[in-house]
């Protein structure tokens, strides 16, 4: 797979690829937020459970402490006045447990608040038992039997003493996004709901498969394994609009995704701008020659072509010199570029039929590489094929061409069989004296003369330019010939040798040049 091609089509469909990239990064971002969210939520549930369990343990310690005092510090005979006074003293200790009772054979005999009961109150079978803590429990009993008919409470018995135990309190309020249940787990593993959502513990702890993936939960039990709590939250909470972090995460992910798209674009546009692309792919394969035939007006024959460079981009589209010549200039690719072009032109033109007419091949040469040694090296192949080809260098007047040195170079090259023409004459400041001084072989009038509408000022100037150049004895080419009238008038002007322009032919790729030359010579033969 051609990486350039892929990159190019990515750049061509910028909007779509940016959108796809944004969505992809956004989704990956959301997934990352989701995974992080799960970890954070799970940790927060774990922390919450740990604080709740610590509160349960503290309550247990108080309970155990109370029973210890009752068992070890008993005063007076059971249910005597001394005993009851002592029981009341213990009830005032600041441990949250305020009602103490003495029971014998499963019946309460006396209590701190009521004294000796008129008749013992049977407790009946306990609701639950914890073997570890060695206690029996009665849940939610109406305390009317001990004189508080409007109250319900949990009775806990250890040995001969019974206390009204405070309900397990959770350490702090459960936030709205959490669900919870506190249960009591008895020795036979039966579960007693204490607070929160009834059934929640069972569904999460006893049948966890049912909620797998959709609910995060944490469970914890106190050290006595009596009181357990489960807290949970749906995983969808992470993306719930009620989650205050949701908008923040959404915004942050969107900003990151936009930043990623921007960054990738920046890198791509740096790495894949036209100059980079042109430079990296510059080769004989990407440089393309178009050949524009020139008509010898006196003989009506095609004896010359101008090689005009094009460059084929990754997608196969042809680029014109106005777009890539500035890159050649800025990246100093003059020689490399011209070499590819000349080699390509020779590789193609040498395939012309052997019996075809000798051809002058015009090349546009950058003034900065115009020196004899380079040119002889550059055109080596053409020069070794002198019977078929004559190289013509077209030079645009430039500061890079100092008169004396250029004159010497031109003489040197002319001696080797390379002709030099001044291109675009009349466009800049080139004077006729300059022309004569350089000793060039020919002159190409600037296209604007050839293109000038009949009767216009430029049209008048064309006539005088032709006359002026004619006097120097140089071969005169007029380009930009687009109409039969213009060609006719050039034919009438005796000093014009060659005409070039769309009316004769547009610049052609090699295969079309072959066809054009063929057709043209057949027409000639028929005439
Ligand atoms: P140029 O050397 O003056 O080339 C003639 C330009 O005029 C070509 O444009 C040609 O396509 C166009 N042309 C030819 N006949 C007509 C016509 O009848 N009407 C109109 N309107 N235009 C016509 P192109 O190929 O776009 O080249 C533009 C310029 O790029 C050339 O101007 C030349 O300065 C430069 N260039 C092209 N190839 C090369 C190269 O290989 N090396 C260098 N250094 N410059 C090149
Ligand atoms: Ca030219
Ligand atoms: Ca020109």
């Amino acid at each position: 797979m051609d990486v350039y091609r892929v990159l190019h089509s990515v750049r061509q469909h910028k909007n779509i690829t940016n959108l796809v990239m944004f969505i992809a990064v956004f989704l990956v971002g959301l997934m990352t937020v989701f995974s992080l969210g799960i970890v954070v939520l799970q940790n927060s549930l774990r922390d919450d459970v740990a604080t709740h369990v610590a509160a349960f343990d503290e309550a247990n310690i108080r309970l155990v402490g109370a029973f210890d005092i009752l068992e070890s510090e008993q005063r007076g005979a059971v249910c005597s006045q001394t005993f009851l006074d002592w029981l009341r003293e213990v009830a005032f200790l600041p441990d949250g447990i305020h009602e103490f009772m003495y029971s014998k054979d499963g019946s309460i005999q006396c209590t701190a608040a009521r004294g000796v009961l008129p008749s013992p109150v049977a407790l009946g079978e306990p609701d639950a038992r914890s073997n570890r803590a060695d206690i029996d429990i009665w849940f939610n009993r109406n305390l009317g039997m001990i004189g508080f008919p409007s109250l319900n409470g949990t009775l806990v018995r250890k040995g001969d003493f019974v206390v009204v135990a405070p309900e397990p309190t959770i350490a702090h309020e459960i936030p709205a996004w959490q669900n919870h249940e506190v249960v009591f787990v008895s020795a036979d593993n039966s579960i007693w709901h204490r607070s929160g959502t009834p059934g929640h513990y069972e569904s999460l702890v006893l049948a966890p498969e049912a909620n797998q993936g959709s609910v995060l939960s944490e469970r914890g039990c106190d050290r006595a394994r009596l009181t357990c709590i489960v807290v949970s939250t749906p995983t969808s909470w992470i993306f719930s609009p009620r989650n205050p972090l949701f908008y923040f995460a959404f915004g942050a992910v969107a900003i990151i995704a936009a930043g990623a798209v921007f960054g990738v674009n920046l890198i791509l546009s740096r790495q894949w701008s036209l100059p980079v692309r042109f430079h990296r792919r510059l080769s004989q394969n990407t440089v393309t020659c178009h050949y524009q035939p020139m008509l010898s007006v006196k003989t009506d024959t095609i004896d010359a072509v101008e090689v005009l460079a094009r460059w084929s981009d990754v997608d196969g589209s042809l680029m014109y010199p106005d777009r890539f010549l500035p890159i050649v200039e800025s990246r100093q690719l003059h020689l490399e570029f011209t070499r590819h072009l000349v080699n390509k032109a020779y590789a193609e033109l040498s395939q012309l039929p052997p019996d075809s007419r000798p051809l002058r091949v015009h090349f546009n040469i950058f003034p900065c590489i115009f020196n004899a040694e380079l040119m002889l090296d550059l055109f080596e192949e053409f020069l070794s094929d002198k019977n078929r080809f004559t190289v013509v260098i077209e030079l645009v007047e430039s500061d890079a061409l100092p008169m004396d040195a250029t004159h010497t170079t031109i003489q040197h090259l002319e001696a080797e069989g390379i002709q030099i023409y001044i291109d675009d004459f009349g466009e800049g400041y080139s004077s006729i004296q300059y022309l004569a001084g350089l000793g060039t072989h020919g002159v190409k009038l600037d296209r604007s003369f050839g293109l000038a509408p009949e009767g216009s000022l430029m049209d008048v100037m064309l006539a005088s330019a032709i006359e002026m150049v004619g006097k120097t004895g140089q071969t005169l080419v007029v380009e930009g010939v687009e109409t039969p009238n213009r060609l006719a008038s050039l034919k009438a002007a005796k000093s014009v040798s060659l005409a070039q322009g769309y009316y004769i032919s547009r610049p052609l790729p090699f295969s079309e040049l072959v066809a054009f030359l063929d057709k043209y010579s057949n027409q000639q033969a028929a005439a």
Side-chain angles (χ1 to χ4, degrees):
M1 192 173 40
D2 186 347
V3 179
Y4 292 134
R5 222 167 258 275
V6 175
L7 274 174
H8 192 67
S9 63
V10 165
R11 298 310 290 161
Q12 295 269 289
H13 305 100
K14 238 187 197 169
N15 289 347
I16 297 173
T17 46
N18 280 349
L19 185 69
V20 169
M21 194 157 42
F22 180 84
I23 292 174
V25 177
F26 190 72
L27 289 181
V28 170
L30 284 189
M31 269 154 62
T32 313
V33 166
F34 187 70
S35 322
L36 283 177
I38 285 189
V39 173
V40 170
L41 270 189
Q42 192 79 51
N43 282 339
S44 120
L45 293 182
R46 195 168 300 145
D47 289 350
D48 283 356
V49 162
T51 37
H52 295 313
V53 164
F56 299 157
D57 278 330
E58 236 170 81
N60 289 346
I61 288 169
R62 285 198 296 269
L63 195 66
V64 170
F67 278 118
D68 278 352
I69 292 172
L70 292 175
E71 265 162 28
S72 59
E73 294 176 14
Q74 184 184 332
R75 274 188 235 146
V78 164
C79 289
S80 66
Q81 195 52 50
T82 320
F83 180 86
L84 290 173
D85 286 347
W86 164 74
L87 215 52
R88 281 177 200 127
E89 248 175 64
V90 180
F92 276 112
L93 291 177
D95 55 8
I97 309 164
H98 302 306
E99 181 56 319
F100 294 87
M101 296 157 247
Y102 179 80
S103 81
K104 189 88 199 145
D105 304 328
S107 297
I108 298 172
Q109 311 282 326
C110 56
T111 84
R114 309 302 290 181
V116 179
L117 298 182
S119 56
V121 174
L123 283 165
E125 274 303 300
D127 292 328
R129 179 166 171 75
S130 163
N131 290 336
R132 267 183 198 239
D134 192 22
I135 56 172
D136 295 317
I137 303 179
W138 291 262
F139 291 112
N140 250 1
R141 283 299 154 103
N142 183 275
L143 302 183
M145 57 187 181
I146 53 164
F148 304 107
S150 61
L151 295 181
N152 282 350
T154 296
L155 301 181
V156 177
R157 176 178 67 194
K158 186 168 191 220
D160 292 337
F161 291 95
V162 177
V163 302
V164 178
E167 286 303 316
T169 47
I170 43 180
H172 53 76
E173 212 181 311
I174 301 284
W177 51 274
Q178 282 182 13
N179 201 352
H180 87 292
E181 187 185 10
V182 178
V183 297
F184 184 87
V185 183
S186 79
D188 60 355
N189 273 335
S190 52
I191 285 164
W192 298 81
H193 167 78
R194 305 307 301 135
S195 66
T197 310
H200 197 55
Y201 185 90
E202 278 201 73
S203 80
L204 285 175
V205 177
L206 304 184
E209 322 76 42
N211 294 299
Q212 220 155 36
S214 62
V215 173
L216 294 176
S217 68
E218 274 294 328
R219 180 180 78 123
C221 295
D222 59 9
R223 258 179 249 133
R225 303 198 68 77
L226 289 175
T227 314
C228 296
I229 183 170
V230 65
V231 287
S232 74
T233 186
T235 41
S236 60
W237 167 253
I238 297 170
F239 288 131
S240 159
R242 286 183 300 127
N243 177 353
L245 287 179
F246 167 78
Y247 295 101
F248 174 74
F250 217 75
V253 169
I255 289 171
I256 290 170
V261 170
F262 178 78
V264 168
N265 270 294
L266 199 69
I267 293 170
L268 276 187
S269 63
R270 281 216 190 114
Q271 294 303 309
W272 205 234
S273 60
L274 177 59
V276 175
R277 210 154 79 226
F278 179 84
H279 195 163
R280 287 208 193 144
R281 298 184 63 251
L282 181 58
S283 76
Q284 200 175 312
N285 292 331
T286 55
V287 171
T288 300
C289 300
H290 278 184
Y291 306 90
Q292 190 172 31
M294 291 181 203
L295 179 72
S296 301
V297 290
K298 308 227 161 51
T299 55
D300 253 342
T301 50
I302 304 291
D303 302 308
V305 292
E306 178 176 8
V307 181
L308 292 161
R310 279 88 182 89
W311 182 73
S312 49
D313 206 340
V314 184
D315 57 1
S317 62
L318 272 194
M319 202 167 277
Y320 283 75
D322 56 328
R323 287 199 61 199
F324 62 76
L325 287 182
I327 304 170
V328 173
E329 293 281 353
S330 66
R331 300 204 164 214
Q332 301 286 308
L333 298 169
H334 307 89
L335 186 60
E336 185 184 345
F337 173 77
T338 310
R339 199 178 284 283
H340 289 312
L341 185 86
V342 171
N343 291 346
K344 182 80 167 254
Y346 186 78
E348 290 184 338
L349 292 174
S350 58
Q351 292 170 34
L352 283 172
D355 59 342
S356 41
R357 304 171 70 88
L359 203 59
R360 286 194 306 281
V361 187
H362 290 234
F363 287 94
N364 295 285
I365 294 298
F366 297 101
C368 64
I369 56 168
F370 182 69
N371 80 56
E373 206 182 324
L374 271 184
M375 292 302 108
L376 292 175
D377 177 53
L378 191 62
F379 293 112
E380 199 184 343
E381 281 183 307
F382 277 103
L383 292 173
S384 65
D385 209 351
K386 276 194 173 122
N387 292 336
R388 306 174 69 195
F389 304 113
T390 302
V391 171
V392 179
I393 290 176
E394 295 189 7
L395 275 181
V396 178
E397 191 211 344
S398 143
D399 290 346
L401 298 174
M403 178 78 108
D404 289 344
T406 308
H407 178 80
T408 315
T409 307
I410 290 174
Q411 279 189 322
H412 186 160
L413 291 175
E414 293 262 350
E416 297 288 341
I418 297 181
Q419 303 178 354
I420 316 296
Y421 282 41
I422 287 295
D423 201 359
D424 299 346
F425 184 73
E427 196 229 6
Y429 304 103
S430 36
S431 66
I432 206 79
Q433 285 86 350
Y434 177 80
L435 249 194
L438 280 179
T440 50
H441 198 99
V443 178
K444 268 182 129 175
L445 285 190
D446 187 64
R447 215 177 345 166
S448 51
F449 290 103
L451 290 171
E454 272 174 76
S456 65
L457 179 62
M458 278 303 270
D459 187 23
V460 178
M461 286 173 71
L462 170 64
S464 50
I466 291 173
E467 200 194 323
M468 194 168 64
V469 177
K471 285 187 185 147
T472 66
Q474 303 213 24
T475 307
L476 178 57
V477 187
V478 176
E479 47 179 0
V481 178
E482 290 189 349
T483 62
N485 282 357
R486 174 60 28 93
L487 182 60
S489 69
L490 295 179
K491 282 184 173 174
K494 295 283 167 259
S495 45
V496 176
S497 311
L498 293 155
Q500 179 183 356
Y502 292 169
Y503 177 65
I504 297 145
S505 168
R506 288 188 172 257
L508 305 169
F510 180 68
S511 60
E512 288 177 34
L513 174 75
V514 175
F516 177 89
L517 292 177
D518 194 41
K519 192 168 143 218
Y520 204 90
S521 58
N522 286 342
Q523 274 173 3
Q524 287 254 303

